[in-house]
Amino acid sequence: MDFEAIEDQDGVRCSWNVLPNTRIEATRSVVPVAALYTPLKERPDQPPIRYEPVMCKAPCRAVLNPYCQIDVRGKLWICPFCLQRN
């Protein structure tokens, strides 16, 4: 298994390729279980967005993200940082 090819595909590198199955194996393991994630990795199957990001009003200027509350009927969203309606 080529781990560098998997990392190029997904943008994720794990410290283990197989996790411990039992509690005893987990306590005997020396290397901690971890993952290195590359959120800004360019992927050819997902082209970049061709428009400017939706931003909160001044002075906050936060970007619309998954943590924002969205009101579909009112066509607005609430910024999680300044709690302003946009």
Side-chain angles (χ1 to χ4, degrees):
M1 181 177 270
D2 186 15
F3 298 108
E4 290 180 2
I6 294 172
E7 181 183 0
D8 287 339
Q9 176 185 355
D10 297 334
V12 179
R13 177 181 283 201
C14 296
S15 61
W16 284 82
N17 59 344
V18 177
L19 297 175
N21 291 328
T22 64
R23 186 178 295 266
I24 295 170
E25 288 179 2
T27 57
R28 291 182 184 167
S29 65
V30 179
V31 179
V33 177
L36 177 65
Y37 176 66
T38 310
L40 299 176
K41 179 175 178 10
E42 293 184 18
R43 295 180 54 180
D45 59 331
Q46 294 179 345
I49 299 173
R50 300 286 182 214
Y51 55 86
E52 292 295 319
V54 179
M55 300 184 82
C56 185
K57 298 173 186 172
C60 180
R61 306 293 291 165
V63 178
L64 178 65
N65 60 63
Y67 300 106
C68 297
Q69 295 178 5
I70 299 175
D71 182 8
V72 179
R73 288 185 183 171
K75 296 183 180 178
L76 55 91
W77 58 280
I78 300 171
C79 177
F81 299 109
C82 67
L83 301 176
Q84 186 173 4
R85 294 177 178 265
N86 296 294

